[in-house]
């Protein structure tokens, strides 16, 4: 098995790095690539959907990014302890009718000794927004290093 640093137990710095790596992965919108950050038997609760294993994660992410277009995500560390990390996040996207949304959420993560996420619990709320009210402005893909994070954006 290949390690996915940083590994637990986490420090503040390594937890921040782990959260940014997760953000970068999700902003790639590549389900297969993203799934490799999770254990083979990973367990998720995402809103009211429950997933078990990488294949279900890949299928879920394909559905998600087929529906949530021009997806841009920012994650921010909230808390950490040993092999667990909590983040808050927001992402902006539009549907196929160009209705824009900002989705806010919190996630609790648990990692194995190899740095793979074993468990993920996500709570998410969607807020309809006008395109003019968008705050996440960078080319699709990884958030630019100089783009403000959630705290800097007053979120």
């Amino acid at each position: 098995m290949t390690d996915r640093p940083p590994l637990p137990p986490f420090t503040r710095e390594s937890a921040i790095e782990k959260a940014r790596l997760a953000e970068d992965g999700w902003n790639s919108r590549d389900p297969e690539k993203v799934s490799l950050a999770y254990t083979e038997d990973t367990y998720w609760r995402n809103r009211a959907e429950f997933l078990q294993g990488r294949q279900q994660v890949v299928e879920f992410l394909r559905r998600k990014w087929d529906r949530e277009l021009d997806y841009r995500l920012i994650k921010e560390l909230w808390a950490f302890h040993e092999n667990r990390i909590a983040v808050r996040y927001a992402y902006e996207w539009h549907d196929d009718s160009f209705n824009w949304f900002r989705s806010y959420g919190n996630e609790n993560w648990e990692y194995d000794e190899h740095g793979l996420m074993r468990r993920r619990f996500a709570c998410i709320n969607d807020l309809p927004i006008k395109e003019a009210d968008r705050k996440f402005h960078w080319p699709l893909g990884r958030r630019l290093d100089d783009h403000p994070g959630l705290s800097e954006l007053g979120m």
Side-chain angles (χ1 to χ4, degrees):
M1 180 172 292
T2 303
D3 286 346
R4 301 262 318 197
L7 307 177
F10 297 111
T11 63
R12 176 173 170 70
E13 293 74 24
S14 65
I16 289 170
E17 180 182 357
K18 199 72 160 176
R20 181 59 193 249
L21 289 169
E23 173 188 316
D24 292 348
W26 281 60
N27 277 327
S28 76
R29 294 176 330 279
D30 181 336
E32 288 77 13
K33 175 183 171 187
V34 170
S35 75
L36 297 177
Y38 302 92
T39 61
E40 287 285 343
D41 63 346
T42 191
Y43 177 78
W44 287 22
R45 182 188 50 75
N46 193 89
R47 300 180 193 250
E49 192 168 352
F50 296 83
L51 310 173
Q52 180 80 43
R54 279 189 187 157
Q55 187 54 46
Q56 286 188 8
V57 167
V58 168
E59 293 165 6
F60 166 83
L61 293 173
R62 282 186 187 137
R63 287 192 314 273
K64 174 183 181 61
W65 291 320
D66 283 346
R67 180 177 161 270
E68 296 177 356
L69 307 173
D70 288 323
Y71 175 97
R72 289 172 177 84
L73 164 74
I74 300 176
K75 291 184 184 280
E76 184 174 283
L77 178 68
W78 187 253
F80 69 95
H81 180 71
E82 296 178 357
N83 70 331
R84 294 183 174 170
I85 295 176
V87 297
R88 65 188 194 96
Y89 60 92
Y91 60 92
E92 293 179 347
W93 58 280
H94 67 82
D95 63 17
D96 58 3
S97 297
F98 281 90
N99 298 302
W100 281 91
F101 299 87
R102 185 174 305 120
S103 300
Y104 296 94
N106 299 292
E107 290 179 345
N108 297 311
W109 303 335
E110 181 182 85
Y111 288 88
D112 73 5
E113 66 277 10
H114 300 285
L116 295 172
M117 195 181 300
R118 173 173 38 220
R119 296 166 55 132
R120 175 185 174 269
F121 303 99
C123 298
I124 309 164
N125 298 295
D126 300 318
L127 174 69
I129 62 172
K130 296 177 183 170
E131 184 174 7
D133 294 332
R134 292 179 52 223
K135 296 184 179 206
F136 299 178
H137 300 284
W138 66 84
L140 286 176
R142 184 179 191 276
R143 177 171 53 105
L144 303 175
D145 290 336
D146 63 349
H147 191 284
L150 296 178
S151 292
E152 293 84 7
L153 289 168
M155 301 172 84

